[in-house]
């Protein structure tokens, strides 16, 4: 088989075999964001909340992005734009000291919601796939069949600060959050969503990229089919012929070249510690 061209900009047009139709996703619009999420309430598990009520000091150790929920709705005053509502679910781990005991680990959930408006272009086509059954709950409906797909890329957040506040200091501004069952199932205990005397708050830094995609059919030039060049092996350290390995080692001609032993610049042999003066 002919060698595959690694740089398409330098390929000879005469090497193009044919044109091929492919199906891919076109990015209609995208954006990046750096959110500083201040005083995000952490809903601790029942056991962690009991320790927090009597803790002397607490420090947030880390936060992990568990999952996101993405909802795409068209903007009523602009047919080409869509609102993307993104809900981030974080698992927060903290260290707390209760009495004279060793530090214990607190575990809880933090939720952050943001909205992004991007151009998704128009499409009259309704797209259905054979791997989705129309009678199931996860099947795509006719109302959503011509909407673009939202993709969110996000890193684990950075913990910037944390603090504990008494319930009376919150002023009732923290409404109980509604959590889906699949989020609750990620924790071993029930989460305390209300009626707590003390609550942990955390400030996070979140980096994210959001984009809208639409299915598209493109015609691309074909130079050759992509065939893997690496051979498969059944173990991490595949056995190799030692003679074959030795044959690929360059001959060390420099080590056979006689060198004078100058007192100012003494050259030492690789195998000996004394000067090469023989």
């Amino acid at each position: 088989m002919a060698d595959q061209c690694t740089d398409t900009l330098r390929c000879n047009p005469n090497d193009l075999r044919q044109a091929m139709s492919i199906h891919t996703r076109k990015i209609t619009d995208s954006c990046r964001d750096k959110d500083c999420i201040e005083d995000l309430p952490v809903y601790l598990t029942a056991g962690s909340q009991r320790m927090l009520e009597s803790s002397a000091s607490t420090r947030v150790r880390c936060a992990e992005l568990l999952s996101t929920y993405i909802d795409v709705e068209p903007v009523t005053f602009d047919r080409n734009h869509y609102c993307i509502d993104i809900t981030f679910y974080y698992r927060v781990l903290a260290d707390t000291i209760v009495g004279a005991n060793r530090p214990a680990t607190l575990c809880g959930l933090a939720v952050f919601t943001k909205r992004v408006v991007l151009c998704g272009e128009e499409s009259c086509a309704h797209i259905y796939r054979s791997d989705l059954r129309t009678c199931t709950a996860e099947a795509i409906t006719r109302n959503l069949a011509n909407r673009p797909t939202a993709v969110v890329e996000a890193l684990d957040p950075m913990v910037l600060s944390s603090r504990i506040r008494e319930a009376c200091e919150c002023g009732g501004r923290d409404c109980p959050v509604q959590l889906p069952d699949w989020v609750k199932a990620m924790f071993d205990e029930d989460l305390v969503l209300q009626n707590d005397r003390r609550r942990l708050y955390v400030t996070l830094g979140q980096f994210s990229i959001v984009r809208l995609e639409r299915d598209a059919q493109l015609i691309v030039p074909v130079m050759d089919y992509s065939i893997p060049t690496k051979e498969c092996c059944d173990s991490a350290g595949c056995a190799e012929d030692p003679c074959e390995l030795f044959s690929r080692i360059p001959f060390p001609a420099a080590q056979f070249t006689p060198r004078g032993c100058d007192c100012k610049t003494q050259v030492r042999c690789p195998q000996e510690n004394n000067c090469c003066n023989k």
Side-chain angles (χ1 to χ4, degrees), residues 51-59 95-100 164 198:
M51 289 188 289
L52 180 68
E53 300 291 353
S54 57
S55 65
S57 64
T58 301
R59 181 182 64 86
D95 297 320
T96 187
I97 298 178
V98 181
I164 298 175
R198 308 177 76 187

Side-chain angles (χ1 to χ4, degrees), residues 58-219:
T58 301
R59 181 182 64 86
V60 173
R61 184 197 314 167
C62 64
E64 173 193 6
L65 179 60
L66 291 177
S67 184
T68 62
Y69 175 78
I70 308 171
D71 185 41
V72 180
E73 293 291 339
V75 178
T76 56
F77 54 84
D78 193 338
R79 294 182 302 175
N80 291 327
H81 288 74
Y82 292 80
C83 283
I84 307 170
D85 291 311
I86 311 166
T87 303
F88 297 85
Y89 296 99
Y90 304 105
R91 186 199 308 274
V92 179
L93 298 180
D95 297 320
T96 187
I97 298 178
V98 181
N101 298 328
R102 299 179 59 184
T105 300
L106 304 182
C107 181
L109 174 74
V111 182
F112 169 58
T113 301
K114 65 177 297 183
R115 170 170 289 187
V116 175
V117 178
L118 293 177
C119 177
E121 299 183 352
E122 277 193 287
S123 176
C124 297
H126 296 274
I127 301 175
Y128 300 90
R129 302 184 186 278
S130 60
D131 54 355
L132 292 177
R133 299 182 180 274
T134 56
C135 58
T136 58
E138 66 273 11
I140 190 168
T141 63
R142 184 172 180 82
N143 292 332
L144 304 177
N146 62 346
R147 294 186 184 177
T149 301
V151 179
V152 177
E153 298 182 31
L155 303 178
D156 282 336
M158 299 174 58
V159 177
L160 303 179
S161 66
S162 62
R163 61 173 173 168
I164 298 175
R165 300 179 64 181
E166 301 293 334
C168 58
E169 299 177 3
C170 301
R173 64 183 181 90
D174 295 332
C175 299
V177 65
Q178 300 294 327
L179 299 177
D181 293 336
W182 58 269
V183 174
K184 298 178 182 179
M186 294 182 177
F187 295 86
D188 298 333
E189 297 181 88
D190 292 336
L191 297 171
V192 179
L193 303 180
Q194 56 184 348
N195 299 327
D196 48 342
R197 292 193 304 107
R198 308 177 76 187
R199 178 165 295 176
L200 177 64
Y201 289 83
V202 64
T203 298
L204 302 177
Q206 177 68 69
F207 295 94
S208 61
I209 295 177
V210 185
R211 65 177 181 266
L212 284 179
E213 299 178 348
R214 278 196 181 277
D215 287 358
Q217 294 77 40
L218 302 178
I219 296 179

Side-chain angles (χ1 to χ4, degrees), residues 2-39:
D3 293 337
Q4 297 181 10
C5 185
T6 57
D7 189 349
T8 56
L9 297 178
R10 299 179 181 179
C11 284
N12 187 351
N14 296 327
D15 292 339
L16 301 181
R17 304 291 188 268
Q18 59 183 351
M20 177 178 291
S21 177
I22 65 169
H23 175 267
T24 185
R25 284 188 172 179
K26 169 189 175 182
I27 299 177
T28 60
D29 199 3
S30 62
C31 66
R32 66 180 186 182
D33 219 342
K34 183 172 66 173
D35 296 294
C36 182
I37 315 164
E38 296 186 88
D39 288 342

